[in-house]
Amino acid sequence: MSKAKRVTTRTLQEMKEGGARIAALTAYDAIMGNLFDRAGIDVILVGDSVANVVQGHETTLSVTLDEIIYHTKAVTRGVERAMVVADLPFMSFQISADDAFRNAGRIMKETLAGAVKLEGGKENLEAVGRMTAAGIPVMGHLGLQPQSIHLYGGYRPRGKKGEEAEKIMVDAKGLQEAGAFCIVLEKVPAELAQRVTESLTIPTIGIGAGVGCDGQILVYADMLGLTIDFNPRFVRRYESFAERALDAANQYATDVKNGMFPSEEESY
Ligand code: KIV
């Protein structure tokens, strides 16, 4: 069977221009990356949400660059077609443009990801410009920025007020000018996300940002219903895997304890 054609920055640009929507999900290992790739997901993000989903942390702040590299390597091994994007974790890009550039280079070289993502706007423009000039595709991330959670004191939507909305618009244009190929808009009013999307030539991918973005992304564990106690209104659950996994593990334990597993056919 012939290999599927890899999704690139150009593919995403053409999708925007042709009005085709981009489907994105997070993944943190080869098995899920492979499943989502087979399902036709266009962009697979190895998000710093790995901190919440895999590592059990409350915030994304403690993820290290080495951990992102470890998980991204696993995902790229499982993915043939989708663009794999790796998140630049907290403090891997904020110190200086030099630092950001070096760390993004490490991700690209060691993981074979197709792009990096970083949170923030005008404070990152030098770094974004240098990465882009060196051939590293950069995805921006505006609106709610979970790495700044302690500064803002919560996960409320961003851009509801005039000044904040204006800043998101200005940052989006700045990122585009600096060379970003795409921007994630997290938890911003649908009307603002649509205006940003229409004012940019590069695609936007929304999470809690309404249907007017060029694409949508969800954290896969939310989409599959694995996260039981996390119910923000922007999540649509397409499965109830937490309940199904609980039932399956319960049945397995019962079978083991009753001597019903393994059977003769399952033995050598
Ligand atoms: O880390 C992550 O999963 C993300 C998405 C929510 C966009 O940044």
Side-chain angles (χ1 to χ4, degrees):
M1 217 165 76
S2 67
K3 257 183 129 183
K5 207 163 165 242
R6 177 73 74 177
V7 175
T8 65
T9 55
R10 207 160 110 204
T11 320
L12 300 181
Q13 187 61 42
E14 284 168 3
M15 286 174 82
K16 172 160 183 137
E17 285 160 16
R21 289 174 192 259
I22 299 160
L25 276 176
T26 66
Y28 318 104
D29 57 31
I31 199 165
M32 298 314 286
N34 184 260
L35 277 175
F36 299 150
D37 195 41
R38 286 167 187 262
I41 297 299
D42 304 302
V43 175
I44 297 179
L45 171 68
V46 185
D48 57 5
S49 52
V50 68
N52 313 104
V53 176
V54 177
Q55 299 176 334
H57 291 293
E58 241 174 67
T59 75
T60 58
L61 270 70
S62 51
V63 180
T64 66
L65 181 64
D66 285 338
E67 287 166 346
I68 287 287
I69 287 175
Y70 171 88
H71 286 282
T72 308
K73 276 174 157 173
V75 171
T76 56
R77 280 184 213 118
V79 170
E80 237 179 52
R81 173 188 169 270
M83 172 190 278
V84 177
V85 181
D87 239 346
L88 277 158
F90 181 59
M91 294 317 287
S92 71
F93 65 92
Q94 288 94 339
I95 293 169
S96 68
D98 267 352
D99 215 35
F101 186 35
R102 192 176 310 110
N103 289 333
R106 248 196 90 191
I107 289 180
M108 297 300 286
K109 218 174 165 75
E110 294 177 35
T111 70
L112 307 180
V116 297
K117 173 169 87 58
L118 83 182
E119 294 182 8
K122 80 170 187 316
E123 60 283 7
N124 295 330
L125 298 187
E126 186 191 343
V128 173
R130 287 182 58 191
M131 290 176 204
T132 308
I136 301 174
V138 183
M139 181 180 276
H141 183 151
L142 298 173
L144 174 66
Q145 293 163 38
Q147 291 178 16
S148 305
I149 201 63
H150 295 305
L151 183 67
Y152 293 104
Y155 292 92
R156 65 172 174 80
R158 298 293 137 79
K160 281 191 144 177
K161 296 202 188 98
E163 214 174 279
E164 226 176 52
E166 180 56 22
K167 179 166 165 32
I168 290 171
M169 180 64 89
V170 169
D171 280 345
K173 289 192 174 153
L175 284 167
Q176 173 173 277
E177 251 172 60
F181 72 95
C182 182
I183 298 176
V184 166
L185 296 173
E186 179 163 357
K187 243 179 161 180
V188 303
E191 175 276 324
L192 172 63
Q194 177 151 1
R195 260 195 304 125
V196 171
T197 301
E198 284 168 1
S199 73
L200 297 180
T201 55
I202 59 172
T204 60
I205 299 185
I207 173 162
V211 78
C213 297
D214 297 304
Q216 298 294 326
I217 184 162
L218 283 176
V219 168
Y220 94 81
D222 300 336
M223 187 275 290
L224 291 181
L226 280 164
T227 43
I228 304 171
D229 299 325
F230 183 63
N231 289 300
R233 71 191 259 182
F234 65 82
V235 168
R236 184 180 295 177
R237 299 198 187 285
Y238 286 84
E239 255 299 346
S240 315
F241 273 2
E243 284 108 30
R244 290 176 59 171
L246 266 169
D247 286 350
N250 200 276
Q251 186 61 55
Y252 166 73
T254 305
D255 286 353
V256 169
K257 286 171 198 295
N258 292 339
M260 304 294 284
F261 176 81
S263 65
E264 239 174 73
E265 297 79 60
E266 288 157 336
S267 305
Y268 295 95

